[in-house]
Amino acid sequence: DNKELFTIFGNPVEHSKSPQMQNAGFKHINYNGEYIKHLVENGNEIKNIFLDNAYKGANITVPHKEFAYKNADEVRGLAQKIKAVNTYINENGKVIAYNTDAPGFLKAIESFGSIKSVLLLGAGGTAKAISLALQEKGIKVTVLNRSEGKLDFFKEHNIECYSWETFNPKEYDLIVNSTSAGLKDEYLPCDKNLLENLFKTAKYAFDCVYGKVTPFLALAKENALEIKDGEDMLLFQGVLAFEYFTNTKADESLVEAMRKGLKEK
Ligand code: NDP
């Protein structure tokens, strides 16, 4: 048959929920596609593996997003600035790359009320995507990171950024945790007193980690903020990738089918 094959490249990749989410989407629209996991150790091999296995599309996750960007034939949209991609499409033998994490984040925070200013904790790959997405939307974004080392990218793009040592807090509507603190441990992404002060004037807190209430979100909730974890961000980056994979437009029922797939045990 003409089944199209899709995959997620990562290391590790065993834990990924993308296959169950994407396959639920294919089933929902009766699309003849299958989405599998593909462990890749060397990020520079991603493009060749993609073409050799005749994948129609792929997602790329940690730690390969920058390699995937470098090796693509053509990079489209905001991904050109972010310099990291999470989606590949085979277009007539050419590898086309997109970043759907950035618009996925914007979709995820739509459920909050109006937001004019954001404090973004962390300066890794996810922070790059989120900060440029916010900047493009005209939302004021300030980056705060533990160390100075990763701040060059933000300076180059005229994004206000600080290390813990140089930070002078102001008021922000939304505080976003894009660090991996709290993922597998009980650490807060920065000093507790600082967070409690920020939470006095902020209304919303978002954590990119999904499937658990991190110490960051727990503290925000204690301080009466509206909180949200990374599930919707994961869902919407997947929905946007699905639209590229299948060349279709997602409607509400597809989004809900993919959400259900994501939540399956
Ligand atoms: P990176 O490894 O690129 O960046 C990690 C960042 O976290 C760095 O800025 C690092 O600071 C900081 N950090 C790590 N540990 C601590 C700590 N204990 N205290 C303070 N800061 C710390 O990671 P990514 O940007 O790729 O991913 C970040 C998180 O986002 C992950 O938890 C990931 O699971 C999640 N994510 C969720 C997605 C979703 O769809 N929901 C999509 C993508 C990512 P320093 O520079 O000082 O080392």
Side-chain angles (χ1 to χ4, degrees):
D1 62 357
N2 301 320
K3 185 182 266 185
E4 291 177 350
L5 205 54
F6 300 85
T7 196
I8 178 155
F9 295 123
N11 184 17
V13 76
E14 207 33 61
H15 66 286
S16 172
K17 292 190 180 290
S18 288
Q20 62 194 62
M21 171 169 66
Q22 296 291 344
N23 284 323
F26 293 147
K27 200 169 164 206
H28 185 77
I29 64 164
N30 278 315
Y31 195 87
N32 193 11
E34 188 185 356
Y35 189 111
I36 60 175
K37 294 171 194 170
H38 197 136
L39 176 73
V40 171
E41 268 156 24
N42 180 353
N44 276 318
E45 289 173 359
I46 280 188
K47 181 184 164 187
N48 288 336
I49 293 174
F50 179 74
L51 291 171
D52 291 349
N53 286 275
Y55 288 123
K56 175 77 181 7
N59 286 120
I60 300 101
T61 187
V62 177
H64 299 320
K65 291 180 189 183
E66 273 98 5
F67 293 108
Y69 163 84
K70 283 190 199 125
N71 291 320
D73 292 321
E74 186 183 330
V75 178
R76 292 193 186 147
L78 200 57
Q80 293 174 357
K81 271 179 144 186
I82 300 168
K83 295 188 163 51
V85 301
N86 72 324
T87 303
Y88 268 3
I89 310 293
N90 185 329
E91 252 183 45
N92 307 315
K94 274 182 76 184
V95 179
I96 312 295
Y98 298 89
N99 184 305
T100 70
D101 288 327
F105 169 80
L106 291 179
K107 277 293 281 175
I109 62 163
E110 272 177 17
S111 63
F112 291 144
S114 141
I115 289 164
K116 295 201 175 64
S117 59
V118 175
L119 180 68
L120 177 55
L121 307 174
T126 309
K128 289 180 184 175
I130 289 177
S131 62
L132 291 184
L134 288 167
Q135 187 188 50
E136 204 185 50
K137 267 240 144 182
I139 298 172
K140 170 89 181 122
V141 54
T142 305
V143 169
L144 173 60
N145 196 45
R146 177 172 59 182
S147 57
E148 183 74 32
K150 293 201 181 94
L151 296 182
D152 286 350
F153 173 89
F154 303 92
K155 289 176 190 157
E156 278 163 28
H157 290 95
N158 293 317
I159 291 166
E160 210 177 314
C161 55
Y162 303 94
S163 66
W164 287 0
E165 280 182 7
T166 59
F167 185 54
N168 181 16
K170 301 198 180 79
E171 293 184 4
Y172 312 90
D173 299 326
L174 165 66
I175 318 290
V176 176
N177 179 24
S178 82
T179 77
S180 40
L183 180 63
K184 293 184 189 103
D185 53 53
E186 288 303 306
Y187 294 123
L188 287 166
C190 61
D191 179 70
K192 189 175 179 194
N193 287 325
L194 170 63
L195 274 181
E196 284 178 327
N197 274 324
L198 291 166
F199 289 160
K200 279 182 190 148
T201 50
K203 296 190 204 84
Y204 314 107
F206 182 93
D207 202 314
C208 296
V209 171
Y210 62 91
K212 76 177 264 191
V213 178
T214 57
F216 168 77
L217 282 188
L219 187 66
K221 196 164 182 219
E222 261 176 57
N223 285 269
L225 272 72
E226 189 179 329
I227 64 168
K228 190 163 190 181
D229 77 1
E231 182 188 293
D232 272 6
M233 182 176 172
L234 182 69
L235 173 67
F236 289 123
Q237 66 74 30
V239 170
L240 294 163
F242 184 92
E243 292 186 329
Y244 289 126
F245 291 159
T246 59
N247 212 3
T248 56
K249 198 91 197 92
D251 62 12
E252 209 36 56
S253 75
L254 174 76
V255 174
E256 284 324 303
M258 289 181 71
R259 184 193 296 279
K260 231 176 125 199
L262 180 64
K263 282 171 168 295
E264 271 165 21
K265 280 284 168 244

